Amino acid sequence: MAEPRVLVLAGSPEARRLAALLEERHPDWHVTLSYAGAISALAPTGYHMRIGGFGGVDGLVDWLRREQTSLVVDATHPFARQMTRHAAEACRVTGLPLLRLLRPAWGPEAGDDWTEVASTGAAVDLLLGLEAPRPFLAIGRQEVAQHVGGLAHLACVLRSIEAPDFALPDGWTWLQGRPDLSEEAERRLLADHAVTHVVTKNSGGTGAAAKLVAARQLGLPVLMIARPPEPDMPRAETAEEAVNAMLRILAPV
Ligand code: NAP
């Protein structure tokens, strides 16, 4: 049997872990890691990497057929709703198997003061009803860009990997960087910037969880943006689970 040709839709740490595991265990497989291109400096992998959108569902269908793909793994971020929808539709059209690699969501723990909201817009509405909040926006610069008008008169603190591509309103603070893994560093950041509320998406995972612990320790309220609903499809929560599920899917019947 020819070696499988796998498209991994990347953009999450789990996609990287999956690529590393596949490289170790199935070095003969043809794996392509696909990125949207939102981050300019991507660390290389041993596999082929392609960067940029496919051109909607039709473009993805063409790509999958051209590359004679056997399996698609959607390992995009839990909030990459459009890519996830497109992957589901393109796999329906081509009849290809699709696996979703999706890490579990965060849940509140004792001492947490979370308010779950359905969208970033709902979080903004809530902030606008508060007296002089100083929110820490840990939701990504592109998401912030869509709501900057509504938030302009608040003294927001924004952290993002890449510089915002909108004019920073007066009174805002931009911090360049990724989420810190250290709870102490996150606590210091929140305290140093006199943050009153943490606004975050329910991304799950460990990479961005330290700010939640820091918020708990400081007694700060968190506005937790719930995950968008997704099409129904087979799921794995870890890279290890995904490799096993891929083997099951690819096994000859
Ligand atoms: P999105 O809204 O779901 O996707 C927008 C468009 O970007 C898609 O229609 C597709 O373009 C292209 N795209 C997205 N992921 C792609 C991939 N892995 N490979 C090739 N094209 C891709 O996604 P987003 O929320 O803008 O996020 C963009 C990327 O950043 C995603 O890969 C995601 O995993 C990652 N990310 C997102 C978040 C977040 O909070 N949304 C956080 C961290 C990382 P075409 O229609 O032209 O194919």
Side-chain angles (χ1 to χ4, degrees):
M1 193 183 70
E3 294 303 337
R5 300 178 67 85
V6 180
L7 172 65
V8 177
L9 297 166
S12 66
E14 289 71 33
R16 287 264 160 188
R17 259 174 242 138
L18 176 63
L21 273 184
L22 290 175
E23 224 177 315
E24 187 187 303
R25 298 185 193 170
H26 304 285
D28 298 339
W29 288 14
H30 297 272
V31 178
T32 298
L33 275 179
S34 176
Y35 287 88
I39 303 288
S40 46
L42 283 172
T45 74
Y47 284 126
H48 175 61
M49 286 164 72
R50 67 166 298 289
I51 297 174
F54 295 91
V57 175
D58 291 347
L60 179 55
V61 166
D62 288 347
W63 192 96
L64 294 171
R65 288 186 171 142
R66 199 169 56 243
E67 296 293 323
Q68 299 179 323
T69 309
S70 345
L71 167 64
V72 179
V73 181
D74 175 2
T76 55
H77 186 271
F79 281 79
R81 57 194 97 181
Q82 184 162 299
M83 190 68 250
T84 290
R85 267 203 321 268
H86 287 185
E89 181 56 14
C91 286
R92 191 191 64 74
V93 171
T94 54
L96 283 173
L98 171 64
L99 176 69
R100 178 71 165 124
L101 172 49
L102 184 68
R103 62 192 182 225
W106 291 314
E109 293 182 18
D112 279 332
D113 176 6
W114 290 13
T115 301
E116 190 176 85
V117 289
S119 63
T120 305
V124 171
D125 288 346
L126 218 147
L127 288 170
L128 293 176
L130 302 171
E131 201 177 323
R134 183 152 166 80
F136 177 56
L137 304 177
I139 54 177
R141 76 195 153 102
Q142 285 159 334
E143 193 80 19
V144 173
Q146 292 170 27
H147 297 277
V148 67
L151 290 167
H153 67 285
L154 302 183
C156 298
V157 180
L158 164 65
R159 176 173 63 194
S160 58
I161 301 167
E162 310 262 333
D165 44 13
F166 53 85
L168 214 63
D170 288 344
W172 279 40
T173 304
W174 175 59
L175 307 170
Q176 194 279 331
R178 294 178 179 276
D180 205 301
L181 293 175
S182 144
E183 291 156 17
E184 195 196 330
E186 294 293 63
R187 201 170 53 238
R188 212 170 31 239
L189 180 150
L190 296 175
D192 286 355
H193 291 279
V195 165
T196 61
H197 294 76
V198 173
V199 185
T200 182
K201 298 174 180 174
N202 196 334
S203 302
T206 51
K211 64 176 176 286
L212 298 175
V213 180
R216 185 185 310 141
Q217 291 169 346
L218 293 168
L220 292 182
V222 173
L223 306 190
M224 182 62 71
I225 301 164
R227 291 180 173 190
E230 293 202 348
D232 198 25
M233 64 184 107
R235 290 221 165 88
E237 290 191 344
T238 63
E240 185 78 39
E241 271 181 43
V243 175
N244 293 333
M246 291 167 80
L247 288 170
R248 281 195 302 275
I249 292 170
L250 292 166
V253 281

